[in-house]
Amino acid sequence: MRATQYIAHMWKRLLKVLIACLLVSVTATALAQKKIPPVVKTPQIVEAVRLNTQGMELFEAGDYEGAARAHSRALELFEKALGPDHLAVGNSLNRLGAIARVRGEYARAEGLHRRAIAVIERAEGPDSWRLTDPLNNLALLYRLNGGYVHAAPLLERIVTVEEKSVGPNRANNLVVALNNLAWAYRAQAEYARALTLYERALSIVEEALRADDGFPKPLLATVLDNLAPLLF
């Protein structure tokens, strides 16, 4: 297919998706929150969960120092009560890494996210969907420093994990993963690889629309915004 014909074909697909979104009722719900499996509620665990919740609230309020204290204490309690290789420990390390990142402590953030990944791998295996958060956070850290070469393998792994996952949000999560990986390739001027990933994401959207499954409008807009410049 010649370049001009290909561009026309892709714009026609984009137009069909946009029209379909106007006709189909879509609820822009957030992706399902990933929860820690239930554990025996000892006093230590109850306090750790309270501190974990407090830390997330402080983080949202912009009190990063307070959030770090709360999550650090929660980490200590989780490790004592559940051992060093429990999912709750990995999640606490991941949150501390995110706090370190926004505070500009990039070396510390990298170490914390890598520890979180290692803990979750030991707790649930290398293909667990719970790895996507720390993997994505580590990739984001590299992207902030222009390290797209280091971010791409992490984002590729997220795509692989999401491809194997099941559940009502699988398509949404996979589109997010494909979009992020395409963005990393695009930043490295690997436009052909980026275009292939955006096309795949668009195909998933089209399939969801044909099945009348609905699709989050902000996520669709992101895919379209990223794909369109590559068609010129």
Side-chain angles (χ1 to χ4, degrees), residues 62-96:
D63 183 357
Y64 303 130
E65 184 176 350
R69 285 197 301 269
H71 282 303
S72 293
R73 180 55 180 156
L75 174 62
E76 292 177 7
L77 294 173
F78 278 135
E79 285 181 319
K80 288 179 181 178
L82 302 172
D85 293 334
H86 192 274
L87 176 63
V89 173
N91 285 345
S92 290
L93 288 167
N94 184 47
R95 293 189 180 101
L96 284 168

Side-chain angles (χ1 to χ4, degrees), residues 17-196:
V17 170
L18 290 171
I19 293 173
C21 286
L22 294 175
L23 298 176
V24 177
S25 175
V26 179
T27 303
T29 55
L31 299 182
Q33 185 177 5
K34 300 174 180 178
K35 299 179 180 179
I36 299 173
V39 295
V40 178
K41 292 185 178 181
T42 64
Q44 277 187 322
I45 295 299
V46 171
E47 176 63 7
V49 171
R50 184 192 70 79
L51 287 166
N52 182 67
T53 301
Q54 181 186 68
M56 289 189 290
E57 292 173 349
L58 290 170
F59 183 86
E60 290 297 324
D63 183 357
Y64 303 130
E65 184 176 350
R69 285 197 301 269
H71 282 303
S72 293
R73 180 55 180 156
L75 174 62
E76 292 177 7
L77 294 173
F78 278 135
E79 285 181 319
K80 288 179 181 178
L82 302 172
D85 293 334
H86 192 274
L87 176 63
V89 173
N91 285 345
S92 290
L93 288 167
N94 184 47
R95 293 189 180 101
L96 284 168
I99 295 168
R101 185 192 72 236
V102 298
R103 297 174 76 178
E105 301 170 354
Y106 295 140
R108 174 174 166 76
E110 180 179 5
L112 287 164
H113 286 315
R114 288 197 175 279
R115 285 178 61 194
I117 292 167
V119 169
I120 296 173
E121 284 177 333
R122 290 194 295 270
E124 297 208 338
D127 296 326
S128 171
W129 56 267
R130 297 181 191 277
L131 284 165
T132 58
D133 283 344
L135 286 170
N136 191 63
N137 282 337
L138 184 56
L140 174 59
L141 180 66
Y142 289 140
R143 286 169 58 181
L144 290 174
N145 292 305
Y148 304 111
V149 172
H150 299 297
L154 299 170
L155 296 170
E156 288 171 354
R157 186 175 175 187
I158 293 174
V159 169
T160 300
V161 169
E162 295 295 1
E163 286 173 334
K164 297 178 180 179
S165 68
V166 295
N169 289 307
R170 177 185 179 278
N172 297 3
N173 296 343
L174 182 54
V175 167
V176 170
L178 290 168
N179 182 74
N180 290 342
L181 179 56
W183 192 93
Y185 286 145
R186 179 178 167 187
Q188 298 176 74
E190 296 188 38
Y191 301 121
R193 298 180 75 177
L195 184 58
T196 297

